[in-house]
């Protein structure tokens, strides 16, 4: 989205059907070790060998309840556990990621232990050999010497010692993974030079805020990255002006723990009062008591306002009410009225507002207390009483003097904030379980940290990677501070996530490199079909850019293969301005492709791709709020001709899909190279009872190109509107 507005690859096959998880089939190869090996002292064995199992992918034959999952037995926390159902013949299996020479297994049993069990090895996860067996398990902590090569190691319970199931606090596998005995990467540590931590007594806070703002105010494609973290307490008289690649956040567990008697401000003086390029910044986890009663947050895409408490009103327009094209609010409470004024569109989720004054084209709400009722298109409000599924973004906080990351719990049919009625629900994870990534870190080191079972905390900076960052372990958190930026240098995919439960990606930017990457972010491998409904992967404030900071290319920017994924606020942008911009210079045909079933997008911004911006192949997909602009720089009609169809839809649901639903969608065109270009429609979908759209619009910006219809052949042409930027709307489809 540049400074425009108004004043006031061939499609893949459909996703495979979901497979149900099941236990391993077939009998166990019982090569029983008749004599127990002599036990080695636990301390000596651990000193000589590496802990291979912590944080690795783990599965089990069963679990007793949601609070005792399999991965709790390899999380390094002796206060969490796995427990099975109350039956014999149960197992827990860990995948070490690669074959390793295993020398010892340590079992830390809860009261419900195994009287008889086997430790089993496998190189393929199907054929098993017995490395150890006992009929006289003692419970407590058992250190078991074993010997052999295995990628998969399994505790197979045969006979329970109690009437309960089998229950392990920790299941630890030690050995040599063939890395030559390299050093173990440490967790935790300092947050680096670009994280500025304050407490209320810190001298010169305003001066530091002003210094960084001066650097970042207009540095749209610069390399500076900064995070301001405020310890709990009250800060008087601050005006924190937030520029590009700058994040400000409180370090309390709740926003009201950290109060600014002052302002957190975004305005557009640097761009002559035009806020349509106020991208890439964030405010989180703070209470703000504005000086004049109203805070100003005049932003456009990729600018998150999360977990905020504004003790007054909130103005979403720049000074002078120039153009603006935001934006996103979640898990926030605004005591007063929100005034969008010149904001063209906005999405607010799971929050509370004292009122909402107006809207230009598309104001969408889900789970918002105080939101206006649906009245689209005049006023342009689309309101869902609740959000079907949500889980808030992880955040860094201080527990006493110890840094931890809080991972909020999943909510179903959510409404209002997670924190207004007391301590939020979720899990606290010590920073010692994170690899703190700093500028200069290589992809090899980052992957080694993941292989060790560590989470990732990217400190503010720009990271070049020459190989894919592989997130293979369930429940891994990858959290960025200060819009940390990852650039693939040689055409690799920047990041891939395995088809596992509960991965959380949050708070970073992926910037395409000059060598074409087939994809930039993949959530799940092709054909992924595991059920993650109980514990989905979330992608939050993760932004993707092709061009702008320099020439970049990608085939498809984001591919979502895993079922049940939640994409919560993303801006996937093929640049229309900056460096390295041109129809072929920053070529990127496809923006977001969804193959997984039951995927939910809340706050989806995808713009300017050479062909389809969004393609959806998975069943039962849902989108709440979508904002799009077609590529400005199409040279002529032929360049966007899609067979017999004029133009590529901004959002296309494949004909194979039977169930899909979306609310609050807008597509705009500004074909400024050739204003005669026509789009047959902004949206394309099969006409089926289960495919439903609500509150759609198309707009021609200044008459530069036009849409013939809104969706399929439904909805009026924008041609009669001429240059007036009056949208064509469809309230519901079909």
């Amino acid at each position: 989205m540049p400074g425009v507005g108004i004043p006031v690859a061939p499609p893949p096959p459909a996703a495979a059907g979901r497979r149900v998880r099941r236990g391993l089939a077939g009998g166990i190869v019982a090569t029983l070790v008749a004599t127990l090996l002599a036990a080695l002292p636990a301390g000596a064995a651990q000193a000589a060998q590496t802990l291979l199992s912590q944080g690795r992918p783990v599965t089990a034959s069963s679990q007793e309840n949601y609070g005792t999952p399999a991965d709790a037995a390899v999380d390094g926390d002796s206060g969490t556990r796995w427990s099975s159902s109350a039956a014999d013949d149960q197992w827990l299996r860990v995948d070490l990621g690669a074959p390793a020479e295993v020398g010892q297994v340590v079992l830390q049993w809860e009261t419900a232990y195994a009287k008889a069990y086997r430790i089993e090895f496998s190189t393929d996860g199907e054929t098993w050999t017995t490395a150890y067996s006992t009929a006289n398990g003692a419970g407590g902590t058992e250190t078991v010497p074993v010997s052999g090569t295995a990628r998969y190691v399994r505790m197979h319970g045969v006979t329970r010692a109690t009437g309960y199931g089998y229950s392990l606090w920790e299941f630890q596998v030690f050995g040599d993974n063939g890395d030559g005995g390299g050093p173990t990467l440490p967790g935790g540590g300092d947050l680096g030079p670009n994280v500025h931590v304050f407490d209320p007594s810190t001298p010169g806070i305003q001066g530091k805020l002003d210094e960084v703002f001066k650097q970042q105010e207009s540095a749209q494609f610069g390399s500076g990255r900064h995070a301001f973290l405020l310890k709990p307490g009250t800060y008087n008289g601050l005006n924190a002006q937030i520029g590009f690649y700058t994040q400000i956040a409180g370090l309390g567990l709740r926003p009201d723990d950290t109060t600014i008697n002052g302002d957190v401000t975004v305005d557009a003086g640097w761009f002559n009062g035009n806020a349509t390029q106020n991208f890439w910044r964030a405010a989180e986890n703070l209470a703000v008591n504005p000086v004049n009663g109203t805070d100003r947050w005049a932003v456009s895409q990729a600018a998150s306002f999360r977990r905020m408490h504004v003790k007054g009103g909130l103005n979403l327009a720049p000074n002078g009410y120039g153009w603006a094209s935001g934006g996103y609010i979640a898990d926030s409470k605004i005591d007063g009225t929100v005034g969008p004024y010149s904001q063209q569109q906005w999405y607010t989720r799971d929050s509370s507002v004292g009122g909402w004054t107006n809207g230009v084209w598309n104001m969408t709400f889900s789970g918002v207390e105080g939101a206006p009722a649906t009245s689209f298109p005049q006023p342009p409000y689309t309101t869902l009483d609740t959000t079907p599924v949500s889980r808030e973004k992880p955040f860094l906080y201080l527990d006493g003097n110890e840094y931890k990351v809080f991972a909020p719990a999943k909510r179903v049919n959510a409404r209002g904030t997670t924190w207004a009625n007391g301590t939020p629900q979720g899990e606290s994870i010590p920073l010692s379980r994170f690899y703190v990534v700093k500028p200069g870190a290589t992809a090899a080191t980052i992957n080694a940290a993941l292989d060790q079972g560590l989470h990732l905390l990217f400190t503010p900076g720009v990271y070049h990677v020459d190989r894919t960052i592989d997130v293979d372990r369930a429940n891994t958190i990858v959290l960025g501070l200060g819009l940390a930026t990852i650039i693939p240098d040689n055409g690799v995919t920047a990041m891939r996530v395995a088809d596992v439960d509960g991965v959380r990606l949050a708070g970073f930017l992926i910037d395409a490199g000059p060598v074409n990457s087939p994809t930039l972010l993949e959530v799940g491998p092709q054909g992924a079909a595991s059920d993650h409904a109980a514990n989905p992967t979330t992608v939050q404030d993760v932004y993707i850019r092709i061009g702008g900071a320099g020439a970049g290319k990608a085939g498809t920017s984001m591919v979502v293969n895993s079922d049940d994924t939640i994409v919560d606020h993303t801006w996937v942008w093929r640049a229309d301005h900056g460096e390295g911009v041109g129809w072929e210079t920053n070529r990127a045909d496809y923006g977001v492709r969804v193959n997984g079933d039951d995927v939910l997008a809340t706050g989806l911004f995808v713009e300017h791709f050479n062909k389809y911006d969004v393609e959806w192949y998975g069943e039962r997909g849902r989108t709440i709020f979508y904002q799009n602009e077609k590529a400005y720089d199409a040279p002529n009609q032929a360049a966007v001709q899609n067979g017999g169809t004029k133009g590529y839809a901004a959002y296309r649901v494949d004909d194979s899909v039977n169930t899909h639903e979306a609310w609050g969608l807008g597509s705009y065109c500004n074909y400024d190279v050739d204003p005669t270009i026509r789009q047959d429609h902004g949206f394309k979908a099969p006409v089926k009872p289960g495919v439903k759209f609500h509150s759609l619009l198309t707009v021609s910006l200044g008459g530069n190109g036009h849409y013939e219809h809104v969706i399929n052949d439904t909805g009026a042409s924008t041609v009669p509107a001429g240059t007036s930027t009056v949208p064509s709307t469809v309230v519901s489809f079909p």
Side-chain angles (χ1 to χ4, degrees), residues 58-147:
V58 63
T59 54
S61 54
S62 65
Q63 71 178 50
E64 180 183 13
N65 55 55
Y66 182 69
T68 57
D71 56 38
V74 295
D75 63 1
D77 185 346
S78 59
T80 63
R81 64 188 175 94
W82 162 71
S83 60
S84 75
S85 60
D88 285 328
D89 199 34
Q90 304 287 332
W91 51 264
L92 179 79
R93 182 189 81 171
V94 63
D95 177 1
L96 303 179
E101 294 300 316
V102 179
Q104 180 177 274
V105 172
V106 177
L107 303 106
Q108 297 178 12
W109 293 103
E110 196 247 355
T111 304
Y113 68 97
K115 188 69 174 175
Y117 65 90
R118 299 190 294 267
I119 301 299
E120 298 170 332
F121 288 177
S122 175
T123 57
D124 59 7
E126 296 182 3
T127 302
W128 296 86
T129 58
T130 300
Y132 174 85
S133 179
T134 183
N136 297 292
T141 297
E142 294 187 72
T143 300
V144 178
V146 290
S147 179

Side-chain angles (χ1 to χ4, degrees), residues 40-49 104:
L40 296 173
Q46 292 186 30
Q49 300 184 53
Q104 180 177 274

